[in-house]
Amino acid sequence: MNTGNLPPFVGQALDYLMQGLELAQGWLLSPAAWSQFAVLIVAYMLAVLISRIAVPRLSALLTPPADSFSIFSTARRFVLQFLPLLLPLIAFALTGVGEQATRSIFGSGEVIAFGKRVFIFIAARIFVRDILQVPFLKLLGKYILIPIAALYAVGLLDDVTLLLEETRVQIGNIGFSLMAIVRGVIAGSILFWLGGWSNQQSTEYLSQQEMRPSLKTLAIKAVEFLIFGVAFLLLMNIMGINLSALAVLGGAIGVGLGFGLQKIASNFISGVILLLEGQATVGDYVELDGGEQGKIVKMMARAAILETFDGRWIVVPNEDFITTRVVNYSDSGSANRYEAPFSVTYETDINRVPDIVEAAVAKHPGVLALPYPPDCELRGFGESGVDFACEFWVNGLDDGDNKFTSDVLFLIWNALKAEGIGMPYPRRVIEIKGQMPSALHEA
């Protein structure tokens, strides 16, 4: 065919096409090629036959009872999900045996080697489609594992890898190849997913252990930093980045901590001290010198979050818990004392009031007998009546779900009313000196 009158790129394409046709014709007429095709077909048919016999038996052997959740049952269920890979892996193994035979007889095995790589691609596709259940891992498999298997199947993986290795990127004193970036993306995704999963498992395990809440929180945070720190170091090693090149960055961070980030460092260290001492932890109701008060719902590296009873969140730096006075109303093992003030009329026999009130308040299920039972005390003589107050001890706060003072006042009211004792109200006596005005006298 005369390609001189055609455009250069069309002529080049036709030359490649002719070379491909000649190569295909040579392969089709070659006994070595036909024998390799035959070996592939026989290997695949044998793999289908073996898998049809083996899969039902292995499935029956590996399937545990539905109500069994032991470690062995969990392991059997884990292995059971890989049974779909049996067919392509058996075909790959049988093809490998056939490849050795054809190479020893004909000295050639390119066709059967291509078939082996295709079986690996099929196995990768089945693994992503049927076995991977985690959405993140399925996404990685779809866009990373399957393309890599496809490049391997067509024999281009080594060429693409070499091209990525030779293409380098230089940022200051740090240089790395595009292959390092690809490895970093793949390894970083897997490592940090594994880190998140490991952190979740360790958090659940530590949460079930018997220890102080503050130590439990500190242990969870320490394990979290350890897991992701190791993941970061492994990622740097996989990408081929020399960690000594990060020394300048580490020095800059140190200077920043000494100046601009001083408060952040102080709050971080204060948070560690808080967790170690356990003087304030998640679930405690605290009040700070600045007037902030609420229940600690979360303790972070830099600050703690207080939730007030009206639903607002207050972010308090950890340093404030160390450098200022903090009142903890929920300290472990302590009760809180409250008092309910009330008054009775001056006509009342006040000697009876303490016994009546103390007996009534003691009936409340939340009022404690220890450290002290309810105590009714005379506080003074007011303008309209005699003032009393009943002190009582309870576990918990008199706010939110608890309404201790309100309940106690109801008990006092009902008890005094049952005894005929009245509550005072403001009264005034008007004294008129001299003769009454004529208008009032006539009325």
Side-chain angles (χ1 to χ4, degrees), residues 296-429:
I296 301 177
V297 295
K298 190 174 184 180
M299 297 191 73
M300 301 177 294
R302 187 192 66 84
I305 297 179
L306 309 184
E307 183 179 16
T308 63
F309 284 118
D310 56 3
R312 292 180 298 174
W313 277 24
I314 304 174
V315 180
V316 180
N318 290 329
E319 186 181 11
D320 291 355
F321 287 91
I322 303 297
T323 59
T324 62
R325 185 179 65 91
V326 179
V327 180
N328 191 341
Y329 293 98
S330 306
D331 193 17
S332 177
S334 66
N336 297 317
R337 190 193 73 175
Y338 297 97
E339 64 176 42
F342 65 96
S343 301
V344 298
T345 61
Y346 276 104
E347 290 78 11
T348 303
D349 182 4
I350 62 175
N351 296 296
R352 298 172 52 209
V353 172
D355 293 335
I356 296 172
V357 171
E358 290 171 2
V361 175
K363 295 178 182 178
H364 191 285
V367 174
L368 305 175
L370 294 174
Y372 300 102
D375 181 23
C376 183
E377 298 178 352
L378 175 64
R379 292 295 174 86
F381 301 100
E383 293 183 359
S384 302
V386 183
D387 298 329
F388 285 88
C390 182
E391 298 176 347
F392 58 94
W393 289 78
V394 292
N395 280 324
L397 299 171
D398 187 24
D399 206 340
D401 297 333
N402 301 321
K403 298 177 176 59
F404 295 121
T405 302
S406 176
D407 295 341
V408 167
L409 287 173
F410 270 108
L411 292 172
I412 293 173
W413 169 272
N414 294 327
L416 294 178
K417 188 175 181 181
E419 294 293 332
I421 299 175
M423 296 286 186
Y425 55 88
R427 290 181 290 183
R428 296 291 184 267
V429 177

Side-chain angles (χ1 to χ4, degrees), residues 52-134:
R52 286 183 178 178
I53 297 174
V55 167
R57 297 183 179 181
L58 289 174
S59 179
L61 179 65
L62 293 173
T63 302
D67 57 348
S68 177
F69 297 96
S70 65
I71 186 172
F72 295 105
S73 298
T74 303
R76 289 165 66 184
R77 289 189 181 94
F78 177 76
V79 176
L80 185 64
Q81 63 183 344
F82 290 95
L83 284 183
L85 292 176
L86 194 62
L87 173 60
L89 293 181
I90 292 175
F92 175 80
L94 293 176
T95 306
V97 175
E99 182 185 9
Q100 297 297 324
T102 56
R103 287 189 182 276
S104 62
I105 296 173
F106 299 102
S108 174
E110 288 77 7
V111 175
I112 200 168
F114 173 74
K116 282 176 58 180
R117 297 194 296 268
V118 170
F119 288 136
I120 290 296
F121 172 77
I122 295 173
R125 190 168 180 272
I126 293 174
F127 178 72
V128 173
R129 184 190 63 193
D130 300 333
I131 298 176
L132 289 180
Q133 301 299 326
V134 179

Side-chain angles (χ1 to χ4, degrees), residues 20-62:
L21 289 175
E22 293 176 0
L23 181 63
Q25 184 179 4
W27 277 108
L28 290 174
L29 298 178
S30 170
W34 282 106
S35 64
Q36 292 178 56
F37 279 121
V39 169
L40 281 175
I41 295 173
V42 171
Y44 179 73
M45 294 179 64
L46 282 176
V48 171
L49 178 62
I50 295 173
S51 63
R52 286 183 178 178
I53 297 174
V55 167
R57 297 183 179 181
L58 289 174
S59 179
L61 179 65
L62 293 173

Side-chain angles (χ1 to χ4, degrees), residues 16-304:
Y16 285 144
L17 178 61
M18 296 301 297
Q19 292 177 13
L21 289 175
E22 293 176 0
L23 181 63
Q25 184 179 4
W27 277 108
L28 290 174
L29 298 178
S30 170
W34 282 106
S35 64
Q36 292 178 56
F37 279 121
V39 169
L40 281 175
I41 295 173
V42 171
Y44 179 73
M45 294 179 64
L46 282 176
V48 171
L49 178 62
I50 295 173
S51 63
R52 286 183 178 178
I53 297 174
V55 167
R57 297 183 179 181
L58 289 174
S59 179
L61 179 65
L62 293 173
T63 302
D67 57 348
S68 177
F69 297 96
S70 65
I71 186 172
F72 295 105
S73 298
T74 303
R76 289 165 66 184
R77 289 189 181 94
F78 177 76
V79 176
L80 185 64
Q81 63 183 344
F82 290 95
L83 284 183
L85 292 176
L86 194 62
L87 173 60
L89 293 181
I90 292 175
F92 175 80
L94 293 176
T95 306
V97 175
E99 182 185 9
Q100 297 297 324
T102 56
R103 287 189 182 276
S104 62
I105 296 173
F106 299 102
S108 174
E110 288 77 7
V111 175
I112 200 168
F114 173 74
K116 282 176 58 180
R117 297 194 296 268
V118 170
F119 288 136
I120 290 296
F121 172 77
I122 295 173
R125 190 168 180 272
I126 293 174
F127 178 72
V128 173
R129 184 190 63 193
D130 300 333
I131 298 176
L132 289 180
Q133 301 299 326
V134 179
F136 176 73
L137 294 182
K138 187 177 284 290
L139 185 68
L140 285 180
K142 183 178 180 180
Y143 292 103
I144 294 178
L145 179 60
I146 290 181
I148 290 176
L151 289 174
Y152 175 72
V154 298
L156 295 177
L157 183 61
D158 292 338
D159 295 335
V160 173
T161 302
L162 181 61
L163 177 63
L164 293 176
E165 287 284 1
E166 292 176 348
T167 307
R168 299 191 62 81
V169 177
Q170 194 75 24
I171 301 177
N173 294 328
I174 302 176
F176 45 86
S177 63
L178 289 180
M179 190 63 195
I181 297 177
V182 174
R183 284 199 303 263
V185 171
I186 298 174
S189 301
I190 296 174
L191 282 174
F192 283 97
W193 178 83
L194 285 174
W197 179 82
S198 302
N199 182 55
Q200 181 183 0
Q201 299 300 315
S202 62
T203 300
E204 292 178 358
Y205 175 77
L206 291 172
S207 299
Q208 298 172 358
Q209 304 305 308
E210 294 292 335
M211 63 177 71
R212 283 190 314 171
S214 58
L215 288 179
K216 188 180 299 184
T217 304
L218 180 61
I220 291 173
K221 291 296 182 183
V223 171
E224 180 180 359
F225 281 119
L226 177 63
I227 289 174
F228 286 103
V230 171
F232 175 76
L233 294 177
L234 287 175
L235 179 60
M236 294 296 102
N237 188 33
I238 291 172
M239 292 183 65
I241 297 177
N242 188 2
L243 294 179
S244 62
L246 300 177
V248 177
L249 178 61
I253 293 176
V255 174
L257 288 175
F259 293 97
L261 304 180
Q262 183 178 1
K263 282 291 184 181
I264 295 178
S266 175
N267 286 318
F268 177 79
I269 296 173
S270 298
V272 174
I273 294 174
L274 278 175
L275 293 174
L276 285 174
E277 292 184 347
Q279 297 303 317
T281 186
V282 175
D284 288 354
Y285 189 90
V286 297
E287 179 181 0
L288 280 71
D289 259 355
E292 303 90 349
Q293 58 179 332
K295 183 173 70 173
I296 301 177
V297 295
K298 190 174 184 180
M299 297 191 73
M300 301 177 294
R302 187 192 66 84

